[in-house]
mmCIF file with all atom_site columns, all heavy atoms in Angstrom:
data_model
loop_
_atom_site.group_PDB
_atom_site.id
_atom_site.type_symbol
_atom_site.label_atom_id
_atom_site.label_alt_id
_atom_site.label_comp_id
_atom_site.label_asym_id
_atom_site.label_entity_id
_atom_site.label_seq_id
_atom_site.pdbx_PDB_ins_code
_atom_site.Cartn_x
_atom_site.Cartn_y
_atom_site.Cartn_z
_atom_site.occupancy
_atom_site.B_iso_or_equiv
_atom_site.pdbx_formal_charge
_atom_site.auth_seq_id
_atom_site.auth_comp_id
_atom_site.auth_asym_id
_atom_site.auth_atom_id
_atom_site.pdbx_PDB_model_num
ATOM 1  N N   . LEU C 1 113 ? 96.798 109.074 85.704 1.00 0.00 ? 288 LEU C N   1
ATOM 2  C CA  . LEU C 1 113 ? 95.787 109.012 84.648 1.00 0.00 ? 288 LEU C CA  1
ATOM 3  C C   . LEU C 1 113 ? 94.433 108.530 85.167 1.00 0.00 ? 288 LEU C C   1
ATOM 4  O O   . LEU C 1 113 ? 93.381 108.969 84.691 1.00 0.00 ? 288 LEU C O   1
ATOM 5  C CB  . LEU C 1 113 ? 96.265 108.079 83.521 1.00 0.00 ? 288 LEU C CB  1
ATOM 6  C CG  . LEU C 1 113 ? 97.484 108.563 82.730 1.00 0.00 ? 288 LEU C CG  1
ATOM 7  C CD1 . LEU C 1 113 ? 97.936 107.477 81.756 1.00 0.00 ? 288 LEU C CD1 1
ATOM 8  C CD2 . LEU C 1 113 ? 97.178 109.845 81.987 1.00 0.00 ? 288 LEU C CD2 1
ATOM 9  N N   . ILE C 1 114 ? 94.460 107.632 86.156 1.00 0.00 ? 289 ILE C N   1
ATOM 10 C CA  . ILE C 1 114 ? 93.225 107.026 86.643 1.00 0.00 ? 289 ILE C CA  1
ATOM 11 C C   . ILE C 1 114 ? 92.574 107.840 87.761 1.00 0.00 ? 289 ILE C C   1
ATOM 12 O O   . ILE C 1 114 ? 91.346 107.921 87.845 1.00 0.00 ? 289 ILE C O   1
ATOM 13 C CB  . ILE C 1 114 ? 93.493 105.582 87.135 1.00 0.00 ? 289 ILE C CB  1
ATOM 14 C CG1 . ILE C 1 114 ? 93.976 104.712 85.959 1.00 0.00 ? 289 ILE C CG1 1
ATOM 15 C CG2 . ILE C 1 114 ? 92.245 104.966 87.747 1.00 0.00 ? 289 ILE C CG2 1
ATOM 16 C CD1 . ILE C 1 114 ? 94.454 103.339 86.385 1.00 0.00 ? 289 ILE C CD1 1
ATOM 17 N N   . ALA C 1 115 ? 93.400 108.451 88.624 1.00 0.00 ? 290 ALA C N   1
ATOM 18 C CA  . ALA C 1 115 ? 92.871 109.160 89.797 1.00 0.00 ? 290 ALA C CA  1
ATOM 19 C C   . ALA C 1 115 ? 91.820 110.222 89.461 1.00 0.00 ? 290 ALA C C   1
ATOM 20 O O   . ALA C 1 115 ? 90.811 110.335 90.169 1.00 0.00 ? 290 ALA C O   1
ATOM 21 C CB  . ALA C 1 115 ? 94.019 109.779 90.597 1.00 0.00 ? 290 ALA C CB  1
ATOM 22 N N   . PRO C 1 116 ? 92.014 111.034 88.396 1.00 0.00 ? 291 PRO C N   1
ATOM 23 C CA  . PRO C 1 116 ? 90.966 112.028 88.089 1.00 0.00 ? 291 PRO C CA  1
ATOM 24 C C   . PRO C 1 116 ? 89.617 111.402 87.768 1.00 0.00 ? 291 PRO C C   1
ATOM 25 O O   . PRO C 1 116 ? 88.575 112.003 88.015 1.00 0.00 ? 291 PRO C O   1
ATOM 26 C CB  . PRO C 1 116 ? 91.539 112.748 86.852 1.00 0.00 ? 291 PRO C CB  1
ATOM 27 C CG  . PRO C 1 116 ? 93.010 112.565 86.948 1.00 0.00 ? 291 PRO C CG  1
ATOM 28 C CD  . PRO C 1 116 ? 93.192 111.191 87.530 1.00 0.00 ? 291 PRO C CD  1
ATOM 29 N N   . ILE C 1 117 ? 89.638 110.171 87.245 1.00 0.00 ? 292 ILE C N   1
ATOM 30 C CA  . ILE C 1 117 ? 88.383 109.499 86.890 1.00 0.00 ? 292 ILE C CA  1
ATOM 31 C C   . ILE C 1 117 ? 87.732 108.872 88.119 1.00 0.00 ? 292 ILE C C   1
ATOM 32 O O   . ILE C 1 117 ? 86.539 109.064 88.380 1.00 0.00 ? 292 ILE C O   1
ATOM 33 C CB  . ILE C 1 117 ? 88.641 108.419 85.819 1.00 0.00 ? 292 ILE C CB  1
ATOM 34 C CG1 . ILE C 1 117 ? 89.241 109.062 84.552 1.00 0.00 ? 292 ILE C CG1 1
ATOM 35 C CG2 . ILE C 1 117 ? 87.354 107.675 85.479 1.00 0.00 ? 292 ILE C CG2 1
ATOM 36 C CD1 . ILE C 1 117 ? 89.704 108.059 83.520 1.00 0.00 ? 292 ILE C CD1 1
ATOM 37 N N   . LEU C 1 118 ? 88.523 108.124 88.896 1.00 0.00 ? 293 LEU C N   1
ATOM 38 C CA  . LEU C 1 118 ? 87.974 107.396 90.042 1.00 0.00 ? 293 LEU C CA  1
ATOM 39 C C   . LEU C 1 118 ? 87.838 108.276 91.285 1.00 0.00 ? 293 LEU C C   1
ATOM 40 O O   . LEU C 1 118 ? 86.859 108.157 92.026 1.00 0.00 ? 293 LEU C O   1
ATOM 41 C CB  . LEU C 1 118 ? 88.862 106.183 90.361 1.00 0.00 ? 293 LEU C CB  1
ATOM 42 C CG  . LEU C 1 118 ? 88.941 105.082 89.299 1.00 0.00 ? 293 LEU C CG  1
ATOM 43 C CD1 . LEU C 1 118 ? 89.802 103.937 89.796 1.00 0.00 ? 293 LEU C CD1 1
ATOM 44 C CD2 . LEU C 1 118 ? 87.541 104.566 88.934 1.00 0.00 ? 293 LEU C CD2 1
ATOM 45 N N   . LEU C 1 119 ? 88.837 109.119 91.520 1.00 0.00 ? 294 LEU C N   1
ATOM 46 C CA  . LEU C 1 119 ? 88.861 109.908 92.751 1.00 0.00 ? 294 LEU C CA  1
ATOM 47 C C   . LEU C 1 119 ? 88.475 111.365 92.527 1.00 0.00 ? 294 LEU C C   1
ATOM 48 O O   . LEU C 1 119 ? 88.453 112.154 93.475 1.00 0.00 ? 294 LEU C O   1
ATOM 49 C CB  . LEU C 1 119 ? 90.261 109.844 93.384 1.00 0.00 ? 294 LEU C CB  1
ATOM 50 C CG  . LEU C 1 119 ? 90.805 108.431 93.656 1.00 0.00 ? 294 LEU C CG  1
ATOM 51 C CD1 . LEU C 1 119 ? 92.213 108.513 94.231 1.00 0.00 ? 294 LEU C CD1 1
ATOM 52 C CD2 . LEU C 1 119 ? 89.887 107.661 94.589 1.00 0.00 ? 294 LEU C CD2 1
ATOM 53 N N   . LYS C 1 120 ? 88.192 111.726 91.278 1.00 0.00 ? 295 LYS C N   1
ATOM 54 C CA  . LYS C 1 120 ? 87.788 113.095 90.935 1.00 0.00 ? 295 LYS C CA  1
ATOM 55 C C   . LYS C 1 120 ? 88.842 114.121 91.342 1.00 0.00 ? 295 LYS C C   1
ATOM 56 O O   . LYS C 1 120 ? 88.529 115.245 91.740 1.00 0.00 ? 295 LYS C O   1
ATOM 57 C CB  . LYS C 1 120 ? 86.447 113.448 91.606 1.00 0.00 ? 295 LYS C CB  1
ATOM 58 C CG  . LYS C 1 120 ? 85.334 112.435 91.359 1.00 0.00 ? 295 LYS C CG  1
ATOM 59 C CD  . LYS C 1 120 ? 85.011 112.265 89.885 1.00 0.00 ? 295 LYS C CD  1
ATOM 60 C CE  . LYS C 1 120 ? 83.881 111.263 89.676 1.00 0.00 ? 295 LYS C CE  1
ATOM 61 N NZ  . LYS C 1 120 ? 83.605 111.030 88.239 1.00 0.00 ? 295 LYS C NZ  1
ATOM 62 N N   . GLU C 1 121 ? 90.118 113.722 91.244 1.00 0.00 ? 296 GLU C N   1
ATOM 63 C CA  . GLU C 1 121 ? 91.197 114.643 91.590 1.00 0.00 ? 296 GLU C CA  1
ATOM 64 C C   . GLU C 1 121 ? 91.591 115.475 90.366 1.00 0.00 ? 296 GLU C C   1
ATOM 65 O O   . GLU C 1 121 ? 91.637 114.961 89.254 1.00 0.00 ? 296 GLU C O   1
ATOM 66 C CB  . GLU C 1 121 ? 92.417 113.867 92.103 1.00 0.00 ? 296 GLU C CB  1
ATOM 67 C CG  . GLU C 1 121 ? 92.197 113.169 93.426 1.00 0.00 ? 296 GLU C CG  1
ATOM 68 C CD  . GLU C 1 121 ? 93.447 112.440 93.891 1.00 0.00 ? 296 GLU C CD  1
ATOM 69 O OE1 . GLU C 1 121 ? 94.447 112.438 93.132 1.00 0.00 ? 296 GLU C OE1 1
ATOM 70 O OE2 . GLU C 1 121 ? 93.429 111.865 94.989 1.00 0.00 ? 296 GLU C OE2 1
ATOM 71 N N   . LYS C 1 122 ? 91.927 116.731 90.597 1.00 0.00 ? 297 LYS C N   1
ATOM 72 C CA  . LYS C 1 122 ? 92.363 117.592 89.511 1.00 0.00 ? 297 LYS C CA  1
ATOM 73 C C   . LYS C 1 122 ? 93.855 117.365 89.239 1.00 0.00 ? 297 LYS C C   1
ATOM 74 O O   . LYS C 1 122 ? 94.626 117.075 90.156 1.00 0.00 ? 297 LYS C O   1
ATOM 75 C CB  . LYS C 1 122 ? 92.111 119.055 89.855 1.00 0.00 ? 297 LYS C CB  1
ATOM 76 C CG  . LYS C 1 122 ? 90.632 119.417 89.962 1.00 0.00 ? 297 LYS C CG  1
ATOM 77 C CD  . LYS C 1 122 ? 90.450 120.901 90.262 1.00 0.00 ? 297 LYS C CD  1
ATOM 78 C CE  . LYS C 1 122 ? 88.967 121.260 90.332 1.00 0.00 ? 297 LYS C CE  1
ATOM 79 N NZ  . LYS C 1 122 ? 88.766 122.707 90.632 1.00 0.00 ? 297 LYS C NZ  1
ATOM 80 N N   . ILE C 1 123 ? 94.247 117.506 87.978 1.00 0.00 ? 298 ILE C N   1
ATOM 81 C CA  . ILE C 1 123 ? 95.644 117.355 87.604 1.00 0.00 ? 298 ILE C CA  1
ATOM 82 C C   . ILE C 1 123 ? 96.346 118.694 87.786 1.00 0.00 ? 298 ILE C C   1
ATOM 83 O O   . ILE C 1 123 ? 95.987 119.681 87.148 1.00 0.00 ? 298 ILE C O   1
ATOM 84 C CB  . ILE C 1 123 ? 95.780 116.878 86.148 1.00 0.00 ? 298 ILE C CB  1
ATOM 85 C CG1 . ILE C 1 123 ? 95.140 115.497 85.988 1.00 0.00 ? 298 ILE C CG1 1
ATOM 86 C CG2 . ILE C 1 123 ? 97.245 116.820 85.738 1.00 0.00 ? 298 ILE C CG2 1
ATOM 87 C CD1 . ILE C 1 123 ? 95.224 114.944 84.575 1.00 0.00 ? 298 ILE C CD1 1
ATOM 88 N N   . SER C 1 124 ? 97.345 118.735 88.656 1.00 0.00 ? 299 SER C N   1
ATOM 89 C CA  . SER C 1 124 ? 98.083 119.959 88.922 1.00 0.00 ? 299 SER C CA  1
ATOM 90 C C   . SER C 1 124 ? 99.241 120.110 87.940 1.00 0.00 ? 299 SER C C   1
ATOM 91 O O   . SER C 1 124 ? 99.539 119.209 87.150 1.00 0.00 ? 299 SER C O   1
ATOM 92 C CB  . SER C 1 124 ? 98.621 119.943 90.354 1.00 0.00 ? 299 SER C CB  1
ATOM 93 O OG  . SER C 1 124 ? 99.603 118.917 90.486 1.00 0.00 ? 299 SER C OG  1
#
Side-chain angles (χ1 to χ4, degrees):
L288 293 174
I289 297 172
I292 300 172
L293 295 183
L294 305 178
K295 308 300 181 183
E296 293 181 356
K297 294 182 179 180
I298 297 180
S299 66

